[in-house]
Amino acid sequence: MIKLDKVNKYYYKGKSNQIHVIDNTSMILPDRGIVCLLGPSGCGKTTLLNAIGGLDKVNSGKIYIDDQLITRFSSNRIDKIRNASIGYIFQNFNLLDDRTVFENVAIALRMVGVKDRKTVAQRVNYCLEKVGIYQYRNKLASALSGGQRQRVAIARAIVKNPRIIIADEPTGNLDSANTLEIMNIIKTISKDRLVILVTHERRIAEFYSDHVAEMKDGKVIKAYSNDSSRYLDYQLENKIYLKDMPVAKEFSQGDVNVKVYSDDEGPADIKLVIRGGNMYISTANNLHIVDETANIEMVDEHYQAMDESYFENNDFDYNAFLPKKFKARYSSIYTPFNMLSTGWKTVKGFKKIRKFLMIGFVFAAMFTMLAVSNVLGIIEVKPDDYRQTNGSYITITNTEKDDSLMGVVDSLDSVSYVIPGDSKKAITFPMDDYLQTGYATTDLNVSITQTDVLQPEQIVEGTMPEEAHDVVLDKMVVDTFLRDKTGAAIGIDTAEEFIGRKLTVPNLEDYTIVGISDVQSPSLFVDAGQVMYILTNSGNQTEEFGFAGEEEETQDQIQSGRVKDIDLADDGISLKKGSEMPDGLYEVLVNDSHEEEEDYEIGRSISTKMGGHKLKVCGYYKSDKAGEDTYYVGADTIRADYISKQKSFCAYAPNPLQVKSLLDSQGLPCKVNDAKERKAYIHERKDQLTSALAVAGVIFLISLIEMFLMLRSSFLSRIKEVGTLRAIGLKKKDIYRMFSGEILVITLITALPGIAIMYYVLYNLVKITYYLEGMYMINPIIALISLAILVVFNLISGLIPVYVTMRKTPAQILARTDI
């Protein structure tokens, strides 16, 4: 039962052009029969019908369907009710023109949960037979006449066996013949169902309806039960009743007999020619000739008005071919698979111009891939991009140049060792393999690290060191060398070819590379006893980040050999006078050529300083080398001097963050080298990242706008389809799924080639220079990220117009006039 209680609806409420289209209407409708809303155009019939059928909302009042107050329900709940209980027949048919007759009807059945193909076919075909349209089941709806289209609409309304049929002027666009045929079908349906019919034809209402509600200016002014046991004086336009024609003449001659019927006595000059089974008629252009294709029926009887016997023998089995105990319940018609298959069919049917415009999406995908690759390439910070020292080093500030502080840190259980100053050094790599390269060398920028912390499993080429002058070079240094093609002239193009080659440090015996490690840092692993020698005799890297050491005159003298560790003295050196060795701090042996000079007397300090202290002569040496004037000091003096020039020292810790936390708690300023170097690198590339993000934003915006405009155009061109689907009960979520499938198909068929093209270009481009490799990240994950971004952006932009439209009621969508 349907009940209306003081229902009101306004158009333009609160404005100067406000229309009270449903005015405080209350009524109760029966469970079966035809209830006719009768009245002139514009009186509110269709609006009231739409409100009852859940196609439109009201401003106030209550509408009950089977005691369910639908005016208080959400659109989703209303969709469930009307999908299961209400069938719709529209004046404009509202068929899906690009689908067959069968599909137009089957879709309504699938929406109520009937998915079995055999059952669907049997039920749909039965309904098509009952409305007389079965023979056209495989035709597209767009190829049918008006009467045929309305029959399809009726079949769609009844196929799911609803208890209520909403019929909005179902004969408004039909001729008289089709009007009666359609009304006879509707009358048959109403025998055991409620049909709410809107019409402005009083004769139709009085003959077919069981109840009539006459409306005027939004009000029901008169409601009554109708006695339909009467005649309908409704002569069909396509039928000519010969016995009612005022003029009838007959001519006979031989085998030819001609009968002429006319509605007046006017002159007629007619010539008939029969030849070859064809008849040729000439009327001297005074009369129009109508042949059998005009669907004119000549009835040799008098016209008689219709009565109930005309349709009373018709019947319709509401449950025919439906599953036993069938109960209509909404079921989604879109699965992930048929979303894509339906979307593919839609895109495949695009016109050529729309398919051509999709090339723009290919370019959008290319630039999206470029932007993502660029942004992530800059954001991604790999150790070999920034790491200048071993990742386990911590730099501790030591502005007081306190040797005892180094001892405190070195004594910590979590610290393996400490070294003064910075571990970064430039070590000479000779490339004198050939005569042409006899003096060729290059500097390898390394981080001096003790061999003690190196594990055998970290060796990827060669062996672990065994001798004091055996060293292991890390793969990061080797890769930089090979990438820059520095060794191309001497044929070094693999890491394996580094094994056995030498490294030189001034004043020191050459070091031999015996292994290549992979610890993801530019480390040179050396014997613990050689660390101070290398630190004090090798050159520094160009300082870019972190704490800078003080390079003063004495350090230059050490590197040049002016000041030298006594332990590194050549065999040609012998003590002539004084102490056996310069064991004391800041003691120095000088060449015996200074023995007679007053300034170099034993026990006297000379002008040369180390560690802020003047060196004190402790003896003289004799050398086999002519003109040698080296100052020889002890290792402790060189170490003290080196420490005095440094404002920091480095500690090696397997867990640097843990050590940093401990040092912080003790108030010792320190930085984890890895974090410090990474931060400095990121800061350096900040401007690049900002530019990349700006470009990416523009590209994404262009892609978004293009997709939005194209999909909006596609959506608006199908607004009638959307309105129809919503009107017959398809839920909003299925509308979203339908268009999501189309968007996904468009995205996939344009994005995949676009991404593939840019992937190929970038993959080959980054091989040109290491700089480009650092600017762009190229791998399958980047391609997938680009595709995901396009999918998400396109779904959002493409569904925006769908969302805007879905906020409207089905009646509002069908009534759109801006398409």
Side-chain angles (χ1 to χ4, degrees):
M1 182 181 70
I2 296 177
K3 179 181 177 182
L4 285 72
D5 183 18
K6 297 180 181 179
V7 175
N8 288 278
K9 182 173 178 61
Y10 299 85
Y11 290 147
Y12 315 111
K13 187 176 182 181
K15 298 181 180 180
S16 58
N17 58 342
Q18 174 178 294
I19 302 173
H20 199 174
V21 67
I22 303 177
D23 190 353
N24 204 39
T25 297
S26 298
M27 59 191 305
I28 297 177
L29 304 182
D31 292 333
R32 60 174 56 86
I34 295 180
V35 175
C36 183
L37 301 181
L38 178 64
S41 297
C43 70
K45 305 184 302 295
T46 296
T47 304
L48 180 59
L49 187 71
N50 288 337
I52 295 172
L55 299 179
D56 209 351
K57 295 180 180 179
V58 297
N59 296 101
S60 65
K62 300 175 182 179
I63 300 176
Y64 296 88
I65 295 180
D66 291 336
D67 297 326
Q68 297 186 85
L69 183 59
I70 67 169
T71 47
R72 297 286 176 87
F73 287 160
S74 65
S75 60
N76 184 61
R77 182 76 179 275
I78 293 173
D79 287 343
K80 283 185 178 181
I81 294 172
R82 63 192 190 84
N83 186 270
S85 303
I86 304 175
Y88 298 88
I89 306 170
F90 302 96
Q91 177 180 355
N92 294 324
F93 321 124
N94 289 334
L95 301 181
L96 303 175
D97 290 339
D98 60 343
R99 305 190 193 184
T100 64
V101 167
F102 182 92
E103 280 302 316
N104 267 276
V105 179
I107 190 173
L109 192 57
R110 295 190 184 107
M111 277 193 284
V112 292
V114 181
K115 301 293 179 68
D116 179 71
R117 289 187 178 183
K118 182 178 179 181
T119 303
V120 170
Q122 290 176 331
R123 176 65 178 179
V124 171
N125 289 335
Y126 173 77
C127 293
L128 292 176
E129 287 177 353
K130 283 299 180 180
V131 299
I133 201 71
Y134 172 78
Q135 64 270 34
Y136 299 109
R137 64 191 180 282
N138 294 322
K139 270 195 172 186
L140 291 178
S142 58
L144 303 180
S145 67
Q148 292 168 339
R149 290 164 69 83
Q150 196 61 288
R151 290 170 188 263
V152 177
I154 295 173
R156 180 182 64 192
I158 63 178
V159 71
K160 59 185 180 180
N161 191 17
R163 293 183 302 99
I164 303 166
I165 304 292
I166 300 292
D168 183 14
E169 300 218 32
T171 62
N173 288 330
L174 305 179
D175 58 25
S176 57
N178 281 307
T179 292
L180 294 184
E181 291 175 357
I182 294 302
M183 285 306 304
N184 290 337
I185 295 172
I186 292 174
K187 184 64 177 179
T188 300
I189 296 169
S190 71
K191 289 180 180 179
D192 195 34
R193 294 292 185 270
L194 172 61
V195 177
I196 307 174
L197 173 74
V198 164
T199 185
H200 60 274
E201 295 188 64
R202 183 170 291 275
R203 289 183 301 166
I204 293 293
E206 290 177 346
F207 180 66
Y208 286 102
S209 61
D210 298 287
H211 306 274
V212 176
E214 297 190 23
M215 295 186 66
K216 183 178 181 181
D217 298 332
K219 294 183 178 181
V220 176
I221 59 173
K222 186 179 180 181
Y224 52 90
S225 296
N226 182 56
D227 179 12
S228 60
S229 59
R230 61 183 73 185
Y231 292 94
L232 176 62
D233 188 8
Y234 200 96
Q235 186 167 340
L236 301 179
E237 297 172 354
N238 68 325
K239 289 189 177 182
I240 300 175
Y241 293 91
L242 300 181
K243 291 186 177 181
D244 292 334
M245 301 295 287
V247 178
K249 297 181 181 179
E250 185 173 354
F251 305 93
S252 296
Q253 184 174 353
D255 294 335
V256 178
N257 185 47
V258 179
K259 293 181 180 180
V260 179
Y261 298 90
S262 176
D263 55 359
D264 59 37
E265 290 283 0
D269 182 9
I270 300 173
K271 296 178 181 177
L272 300 177
V273 177
I274 298 175
R275 187 177 69 176
N278 296 318
M279 180 187 300
Y280 302 89
I281 304 174
S282 173
T283 65
N285 296 326
N286 292 324
L287 300 172
H288 295 289
I289 300 173
V290 180
D291 60 18
E292 66 277 3
T293 61
N295 195 28
I296 297 297
E297 182 181 354
M298 298 181 185
V299 181
D300 195 12
E301 298 288 344
H302 290 285
Y303 166 75
Q304 289 184 343
M306 293 171 53
D307 60 15
E308 288 182 326
S309 63
Y310 197 83
F311 52 75
E312 65 182 2
N313 293 326
N314 295 336
D315 63 338
F316 179 77
D317 184 353
Y318 298 97
N319 296 306
F321 301 107
L322 286 174
K324 292 182 178 180
K325 298 182 180 179
F326 169 72
K327 184 177 181 180
R329 189 171 297 170
Y330 187 83
S331 177
S332 175
I333 63 173
Y334 288 104
T335 64
F337 174 76
N338 65 23
M339 273 173 56
L340 294 175
S341 62
T342 302
W344 168 250
K345 290 177 183 178
T346 302
V347 173
K348 191 176 180 181
F350 279 177
K351 293 182 179 179
K352 288 184 178 180
I353 183 64
R354 187 174 291 178
K355 290 180 179 177
F356 178 77
L357 290 175
M358 287 171 62
I359 295 176
F361 291 122
V362 177
F363 285 103
M366 291 174 61
F367 288 120
T368 298
M369 173 70 182
L370 176 67
V372 172
S373 176
N374 188 207
V375 170
L376 294 183
I378 293 174
I379 290 177
E380 184 196 38
V381 181
K382 302 185 293 292
D384 56 352
D385 288 330
Y386 67 86
R387 194 170 280 173
Q388 299 179 18
T389 59
N390 189 289
S392 294
Y393 273 133
I394 302 172
T395 299
I396 298 99
T397 302
N398 189 18
T399 55
E400 300 299 324
K401 304 168 184 176
D402 185 0
D403 193 7
S404 63
L405 178 61
M406 293 178 58
V408 170
V409 174
D410 193 19
S411 65
L412 297 175
D413 292 338
S414 50
V415 172
S416 300
Y417 64 86
V418 298
I419 61 173
D422 195 350
S423 69
K424 295 186 296 182
K425 294 296 175 180
I427 306 298
T428 302
F429 181 69
M431 297 189 295
D432 53 358
D433 298 49
Y434 304 106
L435 179 63
Q436 298 89 331
T437 62
Y439 298 98
T441 63
T442 187
D443 284 343
L444 301 180
N445 292 324
V446 299
S447 174
I448 304 301
T449 310
Q450 290 186 184
T451 309
D452 305 4
V453 299
L454 182 64
Q455 302 299 319
E457 59 267 21
Q458 293 174 320
I459 301 292
V460 293
E461 295 285 352
T463 63
M464 287 285 289
E466 296 179 357
E467 304 294 334
H469 280 255
D470 290 347
V471 297
V472 171
L473 189 62
D474 193 74
K475 185 174 180 291
M476 184 179 289
V477 181
V478 173
D479 287 344
T480 301
F481 180 92
L482 296 176
R483 184 173 56 241
D484 295 339
K485 301 187 183 303
T486 307
I490 57 173
I492 300 179
D493 52 16
T494 66
E496 185 179 4
E497 291 169 338
F498 275 77
I499 306 298
R501 298 193 70 89
K502 304 294 184 180
L503 295 176
T504 63
V505 177
N507 307 316
L508 304 178
E509 181 184 338
D510 288 351
Y511 293 89
T512 303
I513 301 172
V514 297
I516 305 297
S517 66
D518 187 7
V519 296
Q520 293 189 315
S521 66
S523 297
L524 177 66
F525 292 95
V526 301
D527 184 81
Q530 298 293 314
V531 170
M532 280 306 301
Y533 291 136
I534 293 176
L535 289 178
T536 55
N537 286 276
S538 61
N540 287 327
Q541 297 182 30
T542 301
E543 188 66 49
E544 294 183 5
F545 313 116
F547 300 101
E550 291 184 2
E551 292 298 322
E552 297 183 356
E553 178 185 359
T554 307
Q555 183 66 23
D556 293 336
Q557 291 180 349
I558 291 174
Q559 291 177 12
S560 65
R562 173 63 173 168
V563 177
K564 197 170 183 179
D565 189 333
I566 187 62
D567 293 335
L568 301 177
D570 297 331
D571 293 338
I573 301 293
S574 60
L575 183 65
K576 181 179 180 182
K577 185 178 181 180
S579 302
E580 183 176 347
M581 289 189 64
D583 293 330
L585 199 60
Y586 305 119
E587 291 182 345
V588 60
L589 281 178
V590 297
N591 191 276
D592 62 355
S593 62
H594 297 289
E595 185 174 358
E596 301 300 326
E597 298 178 20
E598 183 179 351
D599 291 342
Y600 286 88
E601 293 179 2
I602 292 177
R604 188 163 187 167
S605 297
I606 63 176
S607 60
T608 300
K609 291 183 179 182
M610 294 189 72
H613 297 80
K614 289 184 177 181
L615 296 177
K616 183 179 179 181
V617 178
C618 65
Y620 305 105
Y621 68 88
K622 184 168 59 175
S623 174
D624 294 342
K625 293 181 181 179
E628 181 178 3
D629 194 18
T630 303
Y631 294 163
Y632 286 101
V633 298
D636 289 343
T637 299
I638 289 181
R639 183 176 185 277
D641 175 71
Y642 187 77
I643 292 174
S644 72
K645 304 299 186 294
Q646 312 302 321
K647 294 181 180 180
S648 64
F649 62 91
C650 291
Y652 186 97
N655 190 338
L657 292 177
Q658 179 185 5
V659 174
K660 182 181 186 306
S661 177
L662 177 61
L663 296 177
D664 286 342
S665 68
Q666 296 179 5
L668 296 177
C670 62
K671 292 183 180 179
V672 176
N673 283 25
D674 190 73
K676 175 185 65 176
E677 293 164 3
R678 189 177 190 277
K679 183 178 179 180
Y681 176 81
I682 292 173
H683 179 74
E684 181 191 30
R685 304 192 73 175
K686 184 177 180 181
D687 291 341
Q688 291 177 327
L689 179 59
T690 301
S691 300
L693 288 173
V695 172
V698 171
I699 291 173
F700 290 155
L701 182 61
I702 292 172
S703 177
L704 181 68
I705 292 174
E706 183 180 9
M707 178 59 89
F708 173 78
L709 293 176
M710 182 169 180
L711 291 174
R712 182 177 183 274
S713 173
S714 174
F715 176 77
L716 293 179
S717 68
R718 296 165 59 194
I719 198 72
K720 178 178 178 290
E721 176 187 356
V722 173
T724 296
L725 291 171
R726 286 288 294 131
I728 64 175
L730 194 66
K731 285 189 175 182
K732 293 179 181 179
K733 66 179 182 181
D734 270 349
I735 298 293
Y736 285 121
R737 288 173 179 171
M738 178 177 73
F739 281 97
S740 294
E742 181 179 329
I743 294 168
L744 287 173
V745 169
I746 292 175
T747 302
L748 290 175
I749 64 178
T750 57
L752 290 178
I755 290 173
I757 292 170
M758 186 53 68
Y759 190 104
Y760 176 81
V761 171
L762 290 176
Y763 183 79
N764 289 279
L765 191 63
V766 296
K767 294 180 181 179
I768 298 175
T769 68
Y770 179 67
Y771 173 78
L772 289 178
E773 186 177 342
M775 291 291 292
Y776 296 94
M777 184 189 297
I778 308 298
N779 57 54
I781 299 298
I782 299 301
L784 290 175
I785 291 173
S786 301
L787 179 61
I789 289 174
L790 286 168
V791 168
V792 172
F793 270 47
N794 290 347
L795 280 172
I796 292 174
S797 59
L799 292 177
I800 286 174
V802 182
Y803 169 76
V804 172
T805 300
M806 287 302 99
R807 296 177 65 187
K808 302 179 181 296
T809 65
Q812 290 173 324
I813 299 173
L814 286 174
R816 287 189 65 167
T817 59
D818 59 334
I819 308 304

